[in-house]
Each structure stands twice: as C-alpha cells, then as structure tokens.
Amino acid sequence: MMTRRWRVLRTLLLVLLSLLLVAFVAGWYLLAGSRAQLDGVHRIASLSAPVSIGRDALGTVTIEGGNRTDISYALGYVHAQERFFAMDLMRRMSAGELSALVGPAALKTDLNHRRHRLRAVVEAAYAQLPAAQKHELDRYRDGVNAGLADLRVQPWEYLLLNAKPQPWRSEDSALVIAAMYFDLNGDGRNERELRFGQMRAVLPDPLVDFLLAPDPDWEAPLSGRLSRSPVIPAADVFDLRHLASTQRSASLSAALAPALDAPRPGSNNFAVAGTLTGTGAAMLANDMHLALRVPNIWFRTRLRYPDASAPNGQRDVNGVSLPGTPAVVVGSNGQIAWGFTNSYGDWQDWVRVLRDPANPARYKVPGGWATIEHHDEHIQVKGQPDTILTVEDTRWGPVIGEDVDGTPLALAWIADRPRSYNLDLMQLERSRDVSAALNPAPHFGMPPQNLLVADSAGHIGWTIAGNGIPLRVGIDPLLPSDWSTSGNGWQGWAAPAQYPRIENPVDGRLWTANNRTVDGDALALLGDGGYDLGARAQQIRDDLQAHGSFTPGNLLDIQLDNRALLLTRWQQLLQQTLADSKTPALMQLRHLTQSWRGRAAVDSVDYRLVRAFRSRVSELVLAPFVAQVQQRYPDFSWPAASSVEAAVWQLIRAEPPQLLDPKYADWHALFTAAASQVATELGRQPGGLAARSWGEYNRSAIDHPLSAALPHWLARFIDMSDQPLPGDNNMPRVATPGFGASERLDVSPGHEAEGVLEMPGGQSDNPLSPYYGAGHEDWVNGRPTPLLPGPTQYSLVLEPAGNG
C-alpha cells in the first residue's frame, strides 16, 4: 500500500514539475519572441534607399540613411520593437483611454483626462500641419506599425494583460506630446489656482501675499532684480491669539505635503561660452527631472543623414529621442547643442461660466450668449461596460471646476488648442548656430520650456520655446476671472519679438532650474505657474562662477552636486533650539546633527534629521492657517508648486506673537516641539536615531509600470534594483524615490567624443534583451557614460524591396 502511494505521489510530482517546466519554457519562448530584431536584412517596400540600424553595448541606436524621412521610418521601427508598450501608455494616458487596456484601476485618470477630449484636439492639430510634417509623421507611423508587426510575438506586456496592441496612428505622436503637457502642467487640473481662491476667500489678502511670497534669499534670475522680502502682517490684519489652537492630524499633514519638498517635474540646464573652454566651442549641460520608470522615457539615439548645411555634408545628431515621436529632444548636431527645463510659466486660467438664469444651457460671452456644447465620451473599461462621461465644453475650454461661490469654471489651457502641437522642434537638428536655433523656438508645438543652446563657435543663448504664450488682458491670471466682457481674457498669442531672449551674456554663463528667470514685462508675459524656490539654480550659478574653465566632466560634477546649502541655517536653528535641552532623545538629536557635513549623501544621518526638522517646523508654523481655510473648504491643501520657505523663515527670524499657533507658549516651544516629534518618530524605528541615514529613505525605486500587479519575487525580475541614492530637492543632484534626472547630458558641439550621456532604466523594455537596464549602474553611481556610441555589436539593415 505504501509503495503504491509513493508511486502515485511521485507521478504527481513529476507531472507537476513537467507542467512547471513547460510553463517556464513557454513563458521564456514568448518573452524571447518579443525581443527586438537586432541584426539581419529586412526588405521594406516604401524606403527610398537602404537604412542601417546599429547598436553598441548600451543599446544606443545609430540610424544611418539617405534622407530624414527614411530615418523617421527606421526610428519608428526601432521604437516599436523596443518601447511600444511605453508609447501606448503615453498616448492612452493623454487621451483618457488607459482603462481599456488595464481595467478600472485607471478609470479615475481616464475621467480626469477625457474631459479635455485630446483625441479630437490632436486630430485637428494633425489636419492643420504643413504637408511635410504630416508626411514625417506618416512615415514614422508606418515604421512603428512595421516594427510591431515584425516581432515574432507581440510585446510581452500585452501577453500579461491578455490584450492586443492597437496600430499606431499619425496623430498619436501628438498625444505623446500631450502626455508631456499633463506631466509638466499640473495634470491639466490647475488645482493650484483653485487653492489660491480658497485662501483669499478666508484669509486677509496681506496674509496670503505673505504666505505665498517668493524668497529673495534664494532667487537666481538670468536678468532683472530680486523679489522684495515679504512683509509680515501686523496684528490688526490677522491674529492667531484670538483663535483656537491647532491639533495636528493626518489630514492636516497631508494638506501641507505639496509645500514641503514634494518632487515635481523640472530640470537643470546650464551653458558656458567658448571663452571658458579649452576648445573655443561653448558647452552645455542638461538633466531633465521626471518620474523614473523601466524602461526610461528617453531613448539613446544617433541619426546620420546627408545635409548640405552640415559639416562635411553629413548631419550627425547625438542625444535622446522620445519614443512615440520622430524627434531628438535634446542633444548635439556638431554645430549646436541644446537642452530644456520646464519654464513654469502660467499656461492655464480659470474662466467663470455665467449661465443664463432663463436657460442654463447658455452662458454669457462678449456680445451675448453662446450654447454649451455637450459631448458624451464613451470610456472603455476592460471587463466592464463602458463608462459614459458627459463633457460640457465652452469656447474657452471644458467645464471642470467650481469657484468658491459655486460658479462653474471652464479651464483655458494651451494643451487644449490644436496649435500647440507640431514638429518644429526638429529644426534644431539642422540649426548651425545659437541665433538660428533660438529664432524658430517661439513656433515649437510643445509645452513652453527654457531652451538653452551652445554652439561650436563659442556662443550661448536662452529663450522660451513653445508657441503657447497667451496675451492676457483685464484678468488676474492667478484667480478665476470673468471673460464675458469684450476685451477680457486671452487676446491672441505672443509674437516671437515679445519672447524674452538672452544671447552671449558678458560673463559667459547661463543657467535655468525651473526658477524665475526674468522680471518686469517679461515676467508679466510668462506669468507664474509655480516657480522653484531658486536654491538649486543659485547653487548652479555659484558653481559656474567658481570655475574659470570647464570640461564636460566639470559640468557633470555640478550636476552631481549634493551639497545642502539651503539646510545650513536650519541646522543652526536646530542646534540653537536644543542647546540647553536635558531630554536624552533631544540631546542625542543635537549630538547627531552637531557635526554638519552639509551633504545629502547616502550615509548622512545629520542631513536626514535636519531635513525632517525643517519639514516639521514648517508644518507646525503653517498648520493654523491651513486649519482656518479647511473650516470652510475641507478639501483644501496647500497650493502645489508654491514654496513656503520665505514666509516660514521670516516668521522664524521675527517671531511675531500674533502669527504663532496659540498652543505654544512662544516660538522656542514650537521649535522644541518640532524637534521632539522628529526624535520620537525617527527614534522609534530599528536602530534609533543614529541609524536613520539619508540612503535608508532615499531609494531609487525605479520600477516597470506593471510590476505593482506582480508578486514581489517576479516584480524584481523587471524592476531596477532598489538602491540608496545621494541628492534631494533644492540642490543640483535632484533625487527622490522614483524621481530624478531622467538623463544627464554634457557636451560641447563639435567635440561630441568627449561628451557624456547618462540614463537610468535602460534602453529596452524586454527583460531578456542585452539592453535591459543597460547604463543604469553608471547613472546610479554618477560615472560618465560616453555620449557617442561605442563599437557596433549588432547591425540591422532595412532595404527597399526592389534591391537585389
């Protein structure tokens, strides 16, 4: 009997092992089948001449062809084979079509985004493009669909989702650009200005002006004066002593989170003139700060094709392309190098929609009434019936908000205009010098950016790139306004001559880091969409001014600068606060922060503790003001992208009793309470305060979009290893979990062989590809990775079908 049972058990085990082996082999076969084709010859009927596609050890793609249109086809082919799923997510995200692919988990995002009806916007944008740009997009589309069709197995993500990839359309490239609008313009909701309105409805204007004021201590504009120091309101304006004290709560802390170092899309770029380099050519650095993922958003690319205006008649472009579009976004063409940072101008405004009391389907416009358009948007949800979203649309934009008095609000947003999408950015590939690169920038169909350019003759320049700067008349751009009066609202678009522009500054240095760059009329034109505090830009500026000559390595050193200059005064405040403390936990906190290294290094305990102290003091200082607004508007949170450093530090220095939460006897008591909370909350964790290094918290957390749906052991197979990272906000080396430099470029045009290009997350989306995660470790460790491709390891040739 025992022998028979053992045989049955052994047979079952063998069957189970066989099934597991078959499943493993099948999974491996399918995964391997979705890898990109790396070598061989493939015949394409629509090519005019052969195109070669080479790959080096990092997977950098070198595409060489007889003309730019064939290059666009080949680039689309490669993008599809290496990155189609990521491209698909970007077009679906902006169109509000994610739920059809991944199910109800994405429905909230789809509902928010579908209100903008961007699928219809980009179709209109494509229809009005010049014929040459339409042709470029069509050829890229054809390449994408050919590359997708030539995979032996569809991309592995679709096997996991039990879905089928849909063909690429020409207008889908504009949806990828639209995804960048969402990312860089606050997700198309403009909640920041709604919060301004809530604050002003409750708090006196002088107090709100003070709380939201910029900090002149940290500003570093390219031109113009510093802001004025904020003025503390007197007791007759606002006095907390007459109000109830504030109780700390999770909701109050969450409401203040947007003000306390929350990561936000941004970037660094800076340039030095040829007089400061050893070659006479100017030099540029660029690192774009975005949410990080596997694979990376950018794609290492080299394009080579004949061009009579290029040196030696051959255009040679090195940089990163954006899968989903045929453009090299940042890079160098041998004559110029260019890079971008988010401008943080104001590209959205709320419009009060005044309905006709006798007919709510109508709303007031200059000269009379107009009818609100209704669109029933059918949102497909995988595994469920469609969700129907009725969008109310006005001539200014969709109705998606409500003013403090209940009036409906329409959002005017440049991304909802078809004019905001084109391929004019591609002109940079052929620009010969700084002036030639800056001239077309006001026509680029993209989110308005700081464009920095350096050329091989030693010149440098800056302007705003993007054709969506509205001309505002008769409105407050930071609050909902009435546009129903003739002449109010957006009255056209800024002409190129109105764009601020700087060429060849006297000291040979330019820098932007999402900070305010100008003042006066130029600032009024651009508006304020939430400029960075400026500490990062100031540190870059000072780093540049500390050197008299530069190499690409020097620029990389500035990008990797993790000195915590902003926190130095906070470390001093913490030491002063705890000087006489006899509480053991506070004595330990004082001891651990007494020797101030002043760096966001992975082993820095002092940095993490001082940073936590700054956040907690800021929270306790601002809490009573937030609580006042939440009494009327329970959903209130601090306006995103609005630094509170100026107001909080002014209060710390002046210690006005009327603006102190009455729960504290004096300001020293507030500082001590903040220190006590830090010591308690961080001290209770394993190892106590002494074990709280910055690297324990600041992890890379760079994951594949689907890994959250997988078991942990399997997710590790597709994510990058989770590693401690140096850096933080408010310093050049920006790094927080899942967020940071999506690339680091350092290059002097004409000297690309000495250039640097680091990139996290790898080049390919297939875990079995030799390029999955390629280059990631260099990025983590700040090791210079060459910009130019190394020796070719694989070569694929696309030939016209008639050849041979």
Side-chain angles (χ1 to χ4, degrees):
M1 181 69 68
M2 293 296 296
T3 302
R4 187 180 305 117
R5 287 178 178 175
W6 167 244
R7 288 174 178 171
V8 171
L9 180 60
R10 184 176 63 180
T11 300
L12 290 174
L13 288 173
L14 288 173
V15 170
L16 178 60
L17 288 173
S18 298
L19 290 174
L20 289 173
L21 180 61
V22 168
F24 176 78
V25 171
W28 191 274
Y29 174 82
L30 292 173
L31 190 57
S34 65
R35 287 182 298 183
Q37 183 179 349
L38 301 181
D39 49 22
V41 177
H42 190 75
R43 302 196 182 280
I44 305 291
S46 58
L47 288 178
S48 63
V51 179
S52 65
I53 303 172
R55 288 175 169 89
D56 72 348
L58 292 174
T60 304
V61 172
T62 298
I63 302 178
E64 189 163 1
N67 57 72
R68 186 56 172 88
T69 303
D70 282 351
I71 293 283
S72 291
Y73 181 98
L75 187 60
Y77 187 96
V78 172
H79 281 166
Q81 295 219 323
E82 299 279 20
R83 298 286 192 88
F84 187 83
F85 182 69
M87 295 161 55
D88 193 15
L89 290 184
M90 290 187 76
R91 65 171 171 175
R92 288 177 178 272
M93 185 274 285
S94 54
E97 299 170 356
L98 280 171
S99 299
L101 181 65
V102 302
L107 184 57
K108 182 178 179 180
T109 298
D110 280 353
L111 288 169
N112 286 332
H113 291 184
R114 186 67 74 87
R115 290 183 172 91
H116 295 279
R117 303 184 63 247
L118 288 179
R119 173 71 69 182
V121 171
V122 299
E123 287 173 353
Y126 173 78
Q128 67 185 31
L129 286 177
Q133 291 192 21
K134 284 184 181 178
H135 184 58
E136 205 75 44
L137 288 174
D138 292 347
R139 297 300 293 138
Y140 180 80
R141 172 205 64 199
D142 294 343
V144 169
N145 290 327
L148 184 63
D150 283 350
L151 291 172
R152 181 164 55 84
V153 178
Q154 66 185 17
W156 65 272
E157 295 94 342
Y158 296 94
L159 300 174
L160 195 64
L161 292 169
N162 191 28
K164 183 178 180 180
Q166 299 301 306
W168 197 258
R169 291 186 275 186
S170 297
E171 61 269 21
D172 287 345
S173 292
L175 284 175
V176 172
I177 299 173
M180 300 306 296
Y181 275 101
F182 276 113
D183 203 14
L184 299 173
N185 290 178
D187 205 35
R189 291 181 292 180
N190 200 19
E191 288 190 2
R192 179 172 176 266
E193 292 177 9
L194 291 178
R195 304 309 179 202
F196 289 161
Q198 291 174 334
M199 291 179 75
R200 293 193 182 278
V202 174
L203 304 174
D205 282 342
L207 177 60
V208 177
D209 292 341
F210 170 74
L211 293 173
L212 299 177
D215 192 337
D217 290 346
W218 298 103
E219 291 182 320
L222 291 176
S223 68
R225 294 173 293 183
L226 300 180
S227 301
R228 294 179 179 178
S229 295
V231 177
I232 297 175
D236 61 348
V237 173
F238 191 79
D239 195 334
L240 285 172
R241 291 171 294 188
H242 303 315
L243 304 174
S245 61
T246 305
Q247 299 302 314
R248 186 175 179 226
S249 65
S251 62
L252 199 60
S253 297
L256 281 162
L260 304 178
D261 286 331
R264 55 177 179 154
S267 303
N268 302 327
N269 65 1
F270 44 99
V272 293
T275 55
L276 300 174
T277 70
T279 64
M283 198 175 295
L284 175 133
N286 185 218
D287 46 296
M288 297 180 283
H289 308 150
L290 298 167
L292 303 178
R293 67 190 189 200
V294 178
N296 191 34
I297 185 173
W298 311 115
F299 192 77
R300 297 178 67 101
T301 302
R302 184 180 196 178
L303 307 179
R304 305 187 70 192
Y305 53 93
D307 181 0
S309 66
N312 304 316
Q314 181 80 2
R315 182 58 66 193
D316 190 351
V317 184
N318 291 272
V320 295
S321 56
L322 175 59
T325 75
V328 173
V329 176
V330 303
S332 180
N333 70 5
Q335 295 173 298
I336 69 160
W338 68 95
F340 295 103
T341 67
N342 197 23
S343 64
Y344 277 98
D346 186 4
W347 317 123
Q348 305 174 81
D349 282 316
W350 289 110
V351 186
R352 289 171 59 84
V353 179
L354 306 178
R355 295 183 187 269
D356 182 354
N359 181 2
R362 301 197 310 169
Y363 65 104
K364 190 177 180 183
V365 298
W369 301 92
T371 301
I372 292 177
E373 297 180 12
H374 290 80
H375 304 276
D376 287 337
E377 295 289 316
H378 291 250
I379 301 177
Q380 296 180 8
V381 183
K382 185 178 181 180
Q384 294 185 3
D386 289 0
T387 294
I388 311 300
L389 172 68
T390 299
V391 177
E392 291 189 315
D393 217 349
T394 71
R395 62 172 57 183
W396 305 302
V399 178
I400 60 175
E402 187 176 279
D403 205 353
V404 291
D405 63 356
T407 300
L409 296 176
L411 183 63
W413 183 28
I414 61 173
D416 290 342
R417 283 16 181 207
R419 71 187 309 276
S420 298
Y421 303 88
N422 61 49
L423 294 183
D424 285 13
L425 167 68
M426 293 176 65
Q427 295 180 51
L428 293 176
E429 286 184 21
R430 300 187 180 188
S431 297
R432 66 186 182 277
D433 56 34
V434 164
S435 292
L438 299 183
N439 288 339
H443 303 287
F444 292 177
M446 59 184 285
Q449 302 286 291
N450 292 301
L451 168 64
L452 224 57
V453 183
D455 70 27
S456 57
H459 308 298
I460 57 176
W462 163 87
T463 192
I464 297 294
N467 65 5
I469 300 181
L471 296 176
R472 296 178 170 95
V473 178
I475 64 171
D476 181 343
L478 296 181
L479 292 173
S481 302
D482 178 6
W483 294 19
S484 66
T485 302
S486 182
N488 280 4
W490 290 3
Q491 301 297 315
W493 305 92
Q498 294 174 278
Y499 277 58
R501 176 167 170 164
I502 298 173
E503 288 188 63
N504 299 319
V506 174
D507 70 346
R509 297 166 176 88
L510 288 171
W511 61 90
T512 74
N514 316 118
N515 56 304
R516 177 177 67 83
T517 53
V518 293
D519 69 351
D521 292 342
L523 179 59
L525 176 68
L526 301 180
D528 180 359
Y531 292 113
D532 186 78
L533 171 64
R536 179 161 44 95
Q538 188 180 103
Q539 198 160 327
I540 291 170
R541 179 201 66 188
D542 294 348
D543 283 345
L544 290 172
Q545 292 177 346
H547 291 76
S549 63
F550 296 87
T551 67
N554 297 138
L555 299 190
L556 178 61
D557 289 342
I558 295 174
Q559 292 173 313
L560 299 176
D561 182 2
N562 64 1
R563 291 176 300 140
L565 302 185
L566 176 68
L567 288 193
T568 297
R569 64 189 187 184
W570 288 91
Q571 184 265 349
Q572 294 168 354
L573 175 65
L574 179 57
Q575 289 295 305
Q576 294 164 9
T577 299
L578 303 182
D580 299 322
S581 177
K582 303 302 181 184
T583 305
L586 296 184
M587 291 174 65
Q588 185 188 24
L589 179 59
R590 181 183 67 203
H591 173 71
L592 290 171
T593 57
Q594 189 170 23
S595 179
W596 176 238
R597 294 168 58 192
R599 287 186 177 274
V602 295
D603 62 344
S604 294
V605 174
D606 57 332
Y607 176 80
R608 184 175 180 186
L609 297 180
V610 171
R611 183 185 192 272
F613 175 68
R614 173 180 178 256
S615 294
R616 191 51 46 83
V617 169
S618 299
E619 180 181 326
L620 298 184
V621 168
L622 296 174
F625 308 114
V626 173
Q628 289 298 307
V629 182
Q630 284 186 336
Q631 288 181 16
R632 188 182 303 182
Y633 304 105
D635 67 335
F636 173 76
S637 61
W638 200 267
S642 299
S643 174
V644 298
E645 183 75 15
V648 169
W649 196 254
Q650 282 283 87
L651 293 174
I652 289 171
R653 288 195 298 192
E655 299 189 357
Q658 75 272 16
L659 296 182
L660 173 67
D661 192 325
K663 72 187 295 184
Y664 303 107
D666 54 33
W667 283 88
H668 180 76
L670 183 149
F671 304 149
T672 304
S676 297
Q677 291 174 18
V678 170
T680 300
E681 293 176 14
L682 294 182
R684 70 164 61 107
Q685 299 176 29
L689 283 179
R692 302 284 74 78
S693 68
W694 179 238
E696 179 190 48
Y697 166 80
N698 203 45
R699 314 289 297 187
S700 54
I702 301 176
D703 301 333
H704 191 282
L706 293 183
S707 68
L710 298 176
H712 179 66
W713 65 269
L714 188 55
R716 293 177 60 188
F717 180 61
I718 63 173
D719 294 338
M720 296 295 101
S721 60
D722 193 25
Q723 298 170 279
L725 289 179
D728 194 7
N729 299 313
N730 293 314
M731 60 186 61
R733 186 167 189 168
V734 170
T736 58
F739 184 90
S742 59
E743 47 76 54
R744 297 188 189 105
L745 172 70
D746 306 283
V747 62
S748 183
H751 303 273
E752 285 76 10
E754 290 79 47
V756 174
L757 177 58
E758 297 178 353
M759 201 178 79
Q763 184 83 332
S764 174
D765 76 347
N766 192 297
L768 298 185
S769 168
Y771 306 124
Y772 196 80
H776 179 77
E777 287 300 316
D778 285 348
W779 175 88
V780 168
N781 295 293
R783 290 192 299 262
T785 309
L787 166 64
L788 290 185
T792 300
Q793 292 191 338
Y794 298 95
S795 182
L796 173 66
V797 178
L798 306 181
E799 287 190 348
N803 284 16

